[in-house]
Amino acid sequence: LQVFGNNTIFGDLSGLSNTVTLIQIGGNNTISGNISTLPPNLTLLELGGNNTITGDIANMVNFVNSVFLYFTGQNTIYGNIQNLPSNIKNLVIDGNNIISGDLSLVHLNIENLSIRGNNTISIFSNSSRIFTGLNLIDILGSGFNSTNINRLLTSYSNSTWIGSGRALRLKGTSTPKYTNTSGYNALLNNPNFVNVTIN
């Protein structure tokens, strides 16, 4: 299902057929519903507009295949980030989200993770985690103190980065924002250059 233009599509996610595999809807849409009702056969879901989708990350269905989820709007998706199902490699969420948890405990094959809103993801506890294919990590919300950013820089500088547009964007809450200059420089000097922004 692909619908582009200045559409005003509305309705509940629960009305989607379980046979749907790909949905791309652009426009001024007001799609609503709970993420727990997403069809299990999805491989791609992109929703543009003023959507009001809600639900707990932990209650998403067990998708059959790897899936890319992209939500924009006034969404209120919530839950603990380490409960993100392992076959969701790409998750982009805008809105008034209240996602929390330990970023280091996200499954190791995550590629794109962009979470905006009032999220309280502020912990990165395990610097030994090695991710297999990072592309974009964009976590803005309550931010990370220097201890957590230092651990994150160690982990991410030892991880594999793939694709184009490789970027890491974080909010720092300490002064200085980090002291792990070796990890920071390793990302910048990575053969697959990573654009690092810590505001």
Side-chain angles (χ1 to χ4, degrees):
L1 174 63
Q2 293 177 296
V3 184
F4 298 106
N6 294 314
N7 312 298
T8 53
I9 295 172
F10 59 92
D12 193 299
L13 294 176
S14 64
L16 293 170
S17 167
N18 281 345
T19 61
V20 174
T21 60
L22 183 148
I23 302 169
Q24 291 177 288
I25 301 177
N28 298 309
N29 310 296
T30 54
I31 298 170
S32 62
N34 194 294
I35 55 176
S36 65
T37 63
L38 289 172
N41 292 307
L42 273 179
T43 58
L44 173 65
L45 174 63
E46 293 187 52
L47 299 179
N50 299 308
N51 309 298
T52 55
I53 296 164
T54 188
D56 190 324
I57 287 175
N59 293 334
M60 274 195 267
V61 298
N62 291 319
F63 295 100
V64 175
N65 301 296
S66 176
V67 63
F68 184 109
L69 301 177
Y70 181 95
F71 303 103
T72 62
Q74 303 303 315
N75 309 299
T76 53
I77 296 171
Y78 54 92
N80 193 306
I81 194 63
Q82 54 253 48
N83 289 332
L84 187 69
S86 61
N87 52 4
I88 298 177
K89 289 189 176 183
N90 302 277
L91 178 65
V92 178
I93 305 174
D94 285 332
N96 299 308
N97 310 295
I98 47 175
I99 298 169
S100 61
D102 186 340
L103 183 60
S104 74
L105 300 182
V106 173
H107 62 81
L108 294 175
N109 61 345
I110 193 73
E111 293 179 8
N112 294 283
L113 189 58
S114 178
I115 302 178
R116 304 298 182 94
N118 300 312
N119 67 82
T120 58
I121 301 172
S122 60
I123 299 171
F124 198 99
S125 69
N126 188 348
S127 62
S128 67
R129 300 272 286 174
I130 307 299
F131 294 84
T132 59
L134 297 172
N135 178 263
L136 169 65
I137 302 295
D138 180 20
I139 307 294
L140 299 177
S142 57
F144 298 83
N145 64 28
S146 59
T147 299
N148 286 287
I149 290 181
N150 286 338
R151 294 185 191 125
L152 180 150
L153 291 172
T154 296
S155 170
Y156 285 179
S157 63
N158 290 319
S159 296
T160 301
W161 289 77
I162 62 172
S164 60
R166 294 170 296 278
L168 169 63
R169 291 192 286 266
L170 302 171
K171 178 180 177 182
T173 61
S174 300
T175 303
K177 293 181 172 61
Y178 63 92
T179 56
N180 184 359
T181 54
S182 60
Y184 182 92
N185 290 333
L187 286 169
L188 294 182
N189 297 320
N190 189 302
N192 297 321
F193 170 80
V194 180
N195 186 354
V196 181
T197 304
I198 303 176
N199 292 323

PDB file of all heavy atoms in Angstrom, residues 24 37 51 93 138 143 176:
ATOM      1  N   GLN A  24       3.327   2.668   2.885  1.00  0.00           N
ATOM      2  CA  GLN A  24       3.946   3.988   2.839  1.00  0.00           C
ATOM      3  C   GLN A  24       2.837   5.001   2.593  1.00  0.00           C
ATOM      4  O   GLN A  24       2.211   4.990   1.539  1.00  0.00           O
ATOM      5  CB  GLN A  24       4.994   4.082   1.732  1.00  0.00           C
ATOM      6  CG  GLN A  24       6.243   3.251   1.986  1.00  0.00           C
ATOM      7  CD  GLN A  24       7.215   3.333   0.824  1.00  0.00           C
ATOM      8  OE1 GLN A  24       6.969   2.778  -0.235  1.00  0.00           O
ATOM      9  NE2 GLN A  24       8.318   4.048   1.020  1.00  0.00           N
ATOM     10  N   THR A  37      -1.175  -3.802  17.367  1.00  0.00           N
ATOM     11  CA  THR A  37      -2.070  -4.364  16.351  1.00  0.00           C
ATOM     12  C   THR A  37      -1.468  -4.356  14.957  1.00  0.00           C
ATOM     13  O   THR A  37      -2.159  -4.626  13.977  1.00  0.00           O
ATOM     14  CB  THR A  37      -3.406  -3.599  16.336  1.00  0.00           C
ATOM     15  OG1 THR A  37      -3.172  -2.232  15.964  1.00  0.00           O
ATOM     16  CG2 THR A  37      -4.080  -3.645  17.695  1.00  0.00           C
ATOM     17  N   ASN A  51      -0.267  11.892  13.095  1.00  0.00           N
ATOM     18  CA  ASN A  51      -0.768  10.635  13.624  1.00  0.00           C
ATOM     19  C   ASN A  51      -0.710  10.600  15.146  1.00  0.00           C
ATOM     20  O   ASN A  51       0.102  11.267  15.770  1.00  0.00           O
ATOM     21  CB  ASN A  51       0.047   9.480  13.042  1.00  0.00           C
ATOM     22  CG  ASN A  51       0.116   9.573  11.532  1.00  0.00           C
ATOM     23  OD1 ASN A  51      -0.901   9.520  10.859  1.00  0.00           O
ATOM     24  ND2 ASN A  51       1.315   9.756  10.994  1.00  0.00           N
ATOM     25  N   ILE A  93      10.902   7.375  15.367  1.00  0.00           N
ATOM     26  CA  ILE A  93       9.678   7.812  16.025  1.00  0.00           C
ATOM     27  C   ILE A  93       9.778   9.292  16.369  1.00  0.00           C
ATOM     28  O   ILE A  93      10.708   9.716  17.054  1.00  0.00           O
ATOM     29  CB  ILE A  93       9.416   7.043  17.338  1.00  0.00           C
ATOM     30  CG1 ILE A  93       9.410   5.535  17.116  1.00  0.00           C
ATOM     31  CG2 ILE A  93       8.086   7.472  17.942  1.00  0.00           C
ATOM     32  CD1 ILE A  93       9.296   4.755  18.408  1.00  0.00           C
ATOM     33  N   ASP A 138      20.158   8.302  16.902  1.00  0.00           N
ATOM     34  CA  ASP A 138      19.721   9.676  17.116  1.00  0.00           C
ATOM     35  C   ASP A 138      18.753   9.658  18.297  1.00  0.00           C
ATOM     36  O   ASP A 138      17.569   9.389  18.134  1.00  0.00           O
ATOM     37  CB  ASP A 138      19.039  10.172  15.839  1.00  0.00           C
ATOM     38  CG  ASP A 138      18.537  11.603  15.938  1.00  0.00           C
ATOM     39  OD1 ASP A 138      19.020  12.345  16.806  1.00  0.00           O
ATOM     40  OD2 ASP A 138      17.657  11.962  15.140  1.00  0.00           O
ATOM     41  N   GLY A 143      18.736  13.128  27.716  1.00  0.00           N
ATOM     42  CA  GLY A 143      20.177  13.200  27.522  1.00  0.00           C
ATOM     43  C   GLY A 143      20.972  12.260  28.411  1.00  0.00           C
ATOM     44  O   GLY A 143      20.438  11.589  29.296  1.00  0.00           O
ATOM     45  N   PRO A 176      32.564  18.531  31.273  1.00  0.00           N
ATOM     46  CA  PRO A 176      32.414  18.376  29.825  1.00  0.00           C
ATOM     47  C   PRO A 176      31.407  17.271  29.483  1.00  0.00           C
ATOM     48  O   PRO A 176      31.080  16.450  30.333  1.00  0.00           O
ATOM     49  CB  PRO A 176      33.825  18.004  29.369  1.00  0.00           C
ATOM     50  CG  PRO A 176      34.410  17.292  30.549  1.00  0.00           C
ATOM     51  CD  PRO A 176      33.854  17.989  31.756  1.00  0.00           C
TER      52      PRO A 176
END
